[in-house]
């Protein structure tokens, strides 16, 4: 049977992870969270105190041997068999990850791993460049978005659920900063692929979002 790839890009907090996870579950596909990989490299660089040293970050990316496992919708990330899952979604990583992600050599390493995962097929991948660079021939491309206020509120709720002390204003400022860096970088900027289907899910529940996207996808595959 055909090896399907569904690629979803969009700004931070647009619900890509939730939608991709839910779609993967419903379709029986593999979920690929590419952001988790950039987060893992960022965490490793922060832990080694080299997050401002480009050459050291590249070295970390090349030696990271990242592997991903999905358990009940959660992407577990390992580097050289050490589990990093619990360390990659912190405010510290959030504030540094976009700077790490501009480094072309880091991207080359991550894209190599992502393409390898894609070759097996039946993948729902989400990130910033999966519709444009990683899987230019994806069977379906979706550009998911929502207003900045809605996206900030969603992330803020996630942090509150984890008891992280951060304000809504801080969350919004971080999203805006990341979107700006992610969209304006030279290599693989966040862009709407010309053949992507654009969907604004402002005001929709995750369930409504899933239903809409699922129906759209089964029209195509
Ligand atoms: O999707 P998530 O918010 O976890 O991504 C974290 C960061 O990783 C993004 O803000 C972006 O800087 C980077 N990223 C990227 N390319 C991807 C996925 C994520 O540059 N494909």
């Amino acid at each position: 049977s055909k090896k399907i790839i569904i690629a979803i890009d969009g700004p931070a907090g647009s619900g890509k992870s939730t939608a991709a996870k839910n779609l993967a579950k419903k379709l029986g596909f593999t979920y690929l969270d590419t952001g988790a990989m950039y987060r893992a490299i960022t965490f490793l660089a922060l832990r080694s105190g080299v997050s401002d040293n480009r050459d050291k970050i590249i070295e970390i990316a090349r030696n990271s041997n990242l592997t991903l496992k999905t358990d009940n919708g959660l992407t577990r990330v390992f580097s050289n068999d050490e589990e990093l899952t619990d360390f990659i979604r912190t405010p510290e990583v959030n504030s540094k990850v976009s700077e790490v992600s501009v480094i072309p050599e880091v991207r080359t390493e991550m894209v190599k791993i992502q393409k390898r995962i894609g070759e097996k097929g039946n993948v729902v991948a989400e990130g910033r460049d999966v519709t444009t660079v990683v899987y230019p021939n994806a069977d379906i491309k979706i550009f998911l978005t929502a207003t900045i206020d809605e996206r900030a509120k969603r992330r803020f709720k996630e942090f509150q659920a984890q008891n992280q002390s951060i304000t809504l204003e801080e969350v919004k400022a971080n999203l805006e900063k990341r979107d700006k860096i992610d969209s304006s970088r030279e290599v693989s900027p966040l862009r709407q692929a010309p053949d992507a289907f654009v969907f604004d899910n402002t005001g929709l529940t995750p369930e409504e979002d899933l239903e809409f996207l699922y129906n759209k996808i089964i029209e195509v595959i």
Side-chain angles (χ1 to χ4, degrees), residues 25-42:
K25 194 170 172 203
K26 197 155 173 158
L27 294 160
F29 284 14
T30 302
Y31 164 52
L32 175 57
D33 175 354
T34 62
M37 299 171 65
Y38 292 94
R39 288 173 176 278
I41 302 303
T42 305

Side-chain angles (χ1 to χ4, degrees), residues 34-35 38-39 97-98 101 107 127-129 178 182 185:
T34 62
Y38 292 94
R39 288 173 176 278
V97 62
S98 288
S101 303
R107 305 201 67 82
R128 301 296 184 290
D129 63 344
R178 281 204 282 145
D182 293 345
R185 69 183 172 217

Side-chain angles (χ1 to χ4, degrees), residues 76-90:
R76 299 174 61 193
V77 189
F78 301 79
S79 169
N80 294 308
D81 295 328
E82 179 193 2
E83 180 156 17
L84 305 179
T85 314
D86 291 340
F87 314 128
I88 64 169
R89 301 194 183 279
T90 63

Side-chain angles (χ1 to χ4, degrees), residues 52-119:
D52 291 314
N53 183 328
R54 193 186 165 93
D55 290 339
K56 290 271 193 260
I57 299 172
I58 294 168
E59 199 180 305
I60 285 175
R62 291 194 173 137
N63 297 323
S64 61
N65 290 312
L66 288 188
T67 51
L68 305 179
K69 275 184 208 143
T70 303
D71 269 348
N72 292 318
L74 174 76
T75 302
R76 299 174 61 193
V77 189
F78 301 79
S79 169
N80 294 308
D81 295 328
E82 179 193 2
E83 180 156 17
L84 305 179
T85 314
D86 291 340
F87 314 128
I88 64 169
R89 301 194 183 279
T90 63
E92 293 72 33
V93 169
N94 279 342
S95 62
K96 206 73 197 170
V97 62
S98 288
E99 289 163 45
V100 168
S101 303
V102 302
I103 304 171
E105 291 88 343
V106 170
R107 305 201 67 82
T108 304
E109 290 305 309
M110 299 303 110
V111 171
K112 221 189 281 173
I113 301 171
Q114 292 154 10
K115 283 189 187 285
R116 216 179 295 140
I117 295 169
E119 274 162 22

Side-chain angles (χ1 to χ4, degrees), residues 150-202:
E150 169 105 3
R151 294 188 285 115
K153 261 186 249 160
R154 289 175 186 166
R155 273 296 144 90
F156 180 61
K157 274 190 197 154
E158 287 171 15
F159 282 125
Q160 277 187 317
Q162 302 165 12
N163 288 316
Q164 302 247 26
S165 62
I166 189 165
T167 66
L168 177 62
E169 288 65 38
E170 285 167 333
V171 172
K172 187 173 166 182
N174 173 258
L175 291 188
E176 284 175 326
K177 181 185 157 208
R178 281 204 282 145
D179 288 348
K180 185 154 184 260
I181 301 176
D182 293 345
S183 311
S184 59
R185 69 183 172 217
E186 202 128 323
V187 177
S188 312
L190 171 64
R191 285 283 148 78
Q192 257 171 245
D195 50 349
F197 170 73
V198 182
F199 185 51
D200 185 325
N201 61 20
T202 304

